[in-house]
Amino acid sequence: MIDDIVLKIDGIDVFHGTFQSLWNVSLEVRRGEMLALIGANTAGKTTLLDAISGILHPTKGTIEFQGKNIGGLDPYQIVELGITQVPEGRCVFSDMTVLDNLIIGSYAGSARRKRAENLKTVTDLFPKLAERKRQVAKTLSGGEQQMLAIGRGLMADPKLMLIDEMSLGLAPIVVDEIFKALAKIRARGITVLFVEQNVHRTLKEADRAYILETGRVALSGTAADLRDNAEVKKAYFGIDACEVT
Amino acid sequence: MGMGSGDVITPLIIGIMLGGLYALIALGLSLIFGVMRLINLAHGDLVILSSYIAYALLTYLGLDPVLGLVISIPFMFVLGFVIQRYLLGKGFAVSSETPLIIAFGISLVLQNLNQILWTPLSRGLNTSYSRMSFFVGERQFPVSYLLDFVAGIVVMLALRAFLTKTYMGRAITAASQDKRAAQLMGINTNRVYGYAFAIAMGSAAVAGTFLGMTFPFTPTSGISFLTIAFGTVVIGGLGSMLGTFFGGIILGVFQTMGGYLFGPASQMLIVYVLVLLILAIRPKGLFGR
């Protein structure tokens, strides 16, 4: 069971300058699962992903990836170890071509040697990216940019993929397409930790979820349990717990 | 030359060729600003330092300035890496203004160092070919101007190929567009900044060498060439090597045509009126994204 835990976060505090964003947060990601992080806008979801990615360093607590403490490493070292983040707002390199965006995804460590193989995986997953590979990234639609951001992340040959707010601003039909792609990514053995605002949808897609509130873990459990949880229903589905019981 | 004296083609061709030199000087400035958002106030002095390196190699070793690039390019490359890593990089950690002050300090140190080493007398890189002329029909041009233009094209194309075809080049471009996203792609941005500065200094080595074959220089010449490089980058737009190249050509042509039409005294005035107009009307530069 211990071996099944790919990422273990234990009691971390994280600050933005002097402002504390995370308080004693603990979280475990199991190998091969699809884990969701839910919470309101300032709950600390992106902060938690940035702490894992090494953009921010915890002042207290530990982050272990495959048994190795990664809490003090720089972002590029984290990517080399096999954790990649698809950032909120896609953040594709807008003046570079689609192909160059994907190539830069394979910058780190051993990913360069698997560039051709991973490029094929990405273009199989998102055929639109192959059609538009010579286009400058800023000319893509929002949905295509999200596909590019995920594809770029896959080029890093990750073991664990962190995806931040991927459905933000996208049409439901595009969101469906991306969730389908995520299922395929997961089928390739890549563990996925994703952040979402759409709680209903998230609890349908994820295996488990953690709910963050003002920088603390408020609840966690399997998606099915959380769907039935009275507090979750009250807070996120707008159903009064009293009426349900 | 007053208005109407001589033909209009000669200053036009001279302007284009000189523009190649201006582009050569400005490419490094443009690259550094594009990647680090730093106006490298020491850029002109680093170019002139390269002129003095070429001068030393020529005077003491009898090494031809163009062959001397084999020594000066790697030297400036390493110096650039060290400056970024141990001076500017530390400054960026303090605030975004600190590196500007550091660059100004580097500029003053280099000027004074060159004064002590070489005296304030003007120097030049005199070779058998740099003072020669070539003819196009009836018109006569200095060979050094042609070399400037060729060097400008070669360095611009080399930088373009590097930035678009290699991992490090793409990483430099990526880091200049979105630093955080670049880090998330596994790019060590500190290392990338070091290489970007090193490469900019490598191009400064080429610029200083060809500058020295074209114009006499003194320890304080860096300032005037920094100003020209600013103008070039403003006209061409930052971040694009091709844009910077055309910016240099436009600046060169405005300078020589301004001199042709209104007299040599007003040639730089014409250039800086153009620069101000572009800043007011199209601050991204003519070729800026």
Side-chain angles (χ1 to χ4, degrees):
Chain A
M1 196 60 202
I2 294 296
D3 268 27
D4 276 327
I5 293 165
V6 64
L7 185 82
K8 185 178 166 63
I9 299 176
D10 195 9
I12 59 166
D13 285 356
V14 178
F15 287 76
H16 282 104
T18 55
F19 180 79
Q20 186 162 3
S21 300
L22 293 183
W23 311 72
N24 197 30
V25 168
S26 297
L27 173 149
E28 286 175 359
V29 186
R30 297 173 190 159
R31 193 178 308 279
E33 78 174 335
M34 192 136 148
L35 180 66
L37 214 50
I38 306 169
N41 251 331
T42 54
K45 301 171 310 241
T46 300
T47 304
L48 183 53
L49 294 194
D50 276 357
I52 299 170
S53 284
I55 301 265
L56 299 167
H57 297 298
T59 53
K60 181 179 129 328
T62 56
I63 303 175
E64 278 179 24
F65 178 60
Q66 297 182 321
K68 183 183 187 306
N69 187 6
I70 60 165
L73 297 184
D74 281 330
Y76 73 93
Q77 295 170 311
I78 305 272
V79 179
E80 283 170 6
L81 287 174
I83 304 177
T84 157
Q85 185 189 139
V86 179
E88 181 182 353
R90 352 287 186 216
C91 300
V92 295
F93 301 113
S94 52
D95 289 323
M96 292 168 78
T97 63
V98 168
L99 185 61
D100 276 341
N101 267 276
L102 292 174
I103 290 173
I104 205 73
S106 66
Y107 182 85
S110 59
R112 289 187 195 192
R113 272 181 275 121
K114 294 174 100 175
R115 176 168 136 185
E117 182 190 333
N118 286 327
L119 195 58
K120 178 152 189 329
T121 307
V122 170
T123 47
D124 286 349
L125 199 57
F126 302 115
K128 272 182 192 159
L129 295 182
E131 286 166 34
R132 301 185 189 279
K133 66 180 179 184
R134 303 276 166 218
Q135 250 173 267
V136 175
K138 66 181 165 196
T139 62
L140 299 183
S141 70
E144 288 163 349
Q145 286 191 15
Q146 186 62 64
M147 291 171 196
L148 178 57
I150 293 172
R152 186 180 61 174
L154 280 174
M155 291 297 290
D157 204 39
K159 299 182 182 83
L160 170 63
M161 213 169 173
L162 316 172
I163 308 178
D164 199 357
E165 301 275 6
M166 61 183 171
S167 61
L168 207 65
L170 299 183
I173 188 163
V174 181
V175 176
D176 285 344
E177 205 177 331
I178 288 171
F179 268 114
K180 267 184 212 152
L182 278 197
K184 288 184 194 164
I185 288 168
R186 183 195 177 181
R188 301 184 66 87
I190 298 171
T191 308
V192 176
L193 168 56
F194 71 104
V195 162
E196 269 298 321
Q197 298 251 8
N198 182 342
V199 177
H200 195 72
R201 183 68 196 252
T202 301
L203 291 181
K204 232 168 69 186
E205 302 285 349
D207 300 320
R208 293 192 307 129
Y210 283 76
I211 298 177
L212 287 183
E213 264 170 27
T214 57
R216 295 171 178 86
V217 174
L219 271 174
S220 68
T222 65
D225 285 349
L226 289 172
R227 272 197 302 269
D228 295 335
N229 183 293
E231 281 180 61
V232 175
K233 280 184 177 166
K234 191 178 169 190
Y236 296 99
F237 296 108
I239 305 166
D240 195 299
C242 297
E243 286 175 34
V244 174
T245 46
Chain B
M1 257 193 321
M3 192 164 177
S5 71
D7 71 332
V8 70
I9 306 294
T10 304
L12 185 67
I13 292 178
I14 287 180
I16 291 171
M17 292 193 296
L18 263 188
L21 177 66
Y22 297 162
L24 195 51
I25 296 168
L27 284 168
L29 188 78
S30 178
L31 180 65
I32 290 170
F33 187 89
V35 180
M36 292 180 249
R37 307 287 159 215
L38 168 72
I39 297 169
N40 179 17
L41 291 174
H43 189 72
D45 301 292
L46 286 156
V47 168
I48 293 299
L49 175 68
S50 308
S51 306
Y52 278 113
I53 292 170
Y55 180 79
L57 293 173
L58 177 66
T59 310
Y60 299 116
L61 300 177
L63 194 59
D64 179 272
V66 178
L67 291 178
L69 290 172
V70 176
I71 294 170
S72 63
I73 292 175
F75 178 83
M76 291 301 288
F77 186 93
V78 172
L79 182 67
F81 201 92
V82 169
I83 288 175
Q84 164 56 29
R85 197 59 174 265
Y86 296 101
L87 290 172
L88 298 174
K90 310 263 180 214
F92 276 112
V94 179
S95 77
S96 55
E97 297 84 22
T98 311
L100 194 75
I101 312 287
I102 294 173
F104 188 54
I106 294 169
S107 163
L108 293 176
V109 167
L110 286 176
Q111 282 177 32
N112 286 286
L113 192 69
N114 282 329
Q115 297 258 20
I116 293 166
L117 286 175
W118 306 104
T119 78
L121 289 176
S122 101
R123 312 277 175 177
L125 300 176
N126 295 312
T127 64
S128 55
Y129 50 89
S130 63
R131 298 283 163 245
M132 279 170 24
S133 295
F134 68 100
F135 287 85
V136 179
E138 297 283 289
R139 300 183 181 91
Q140 187 184 351
F141 302 100
V143 167
S144 58
Y145 285 27
L146 182 65
L147 292 176
D148 291 339
F149 186 70
V150 173
I153 289 184
V154 168
V155 172
M156 181 269 288
L157 290 177
L159 284 176
R160 245 172 85 89
F162 167 77
L163 289 173
T164 54
K165 301 275 186 267
T166 66
Y167 266 108
M168 181 50 77
R170 287 191 183 98
I172 288 173
T173 311
S176 74
Q177 286 179 25
D178 189 333
K179 183 181 171 186
R180 181 170 173 272
Q183 289 179 324
L184 291 175
M185 293 306 109
I187 293 167
N188 179 352
T189 45
N190 284 333
R191 188 160 166 269
V192 161
Y193 289 169
Y195 274 98
F197 207 92
I199 287 156
M201 287 305 101
S203 81
V206 183
T209 301
F210 284 93
L211 186 156
M213 291 200 287
T214 313
F215 297 117
F217 52 91
T218 70
T220 52
S221 296
I223 300 164
S224 43
F225 287 104
L226 176 68
T227 318
I228 284 175
F230 272 145
T232 298
V233 166
V234 167
I235 295 168
L238 285 155
S240 151
M241 296 297 107
L242 198 63
T244 302
F245 181 78
F246 285 122
I249 303 294
I250 292 170
L251 195 151
V253 168
F254 266 76
Q255 183 192 348
T256 52
M257 291 309 287
Y260 170 75
L261 293 170
F262 306 108
S266 48
Q267 58 177 12
M268 287 322 280
L269 177 67
I270 305 289
V271 166
Y272 292 115
V273 168
L274 171 75
V275 169
L276 281 179
L277 281 176
I278 288 177
L279 275 178
I281 296 161
R282 198 177 150 79
K284 282 190 295 184
L286 296 181
F287 306 92
R289 290 178 297 232

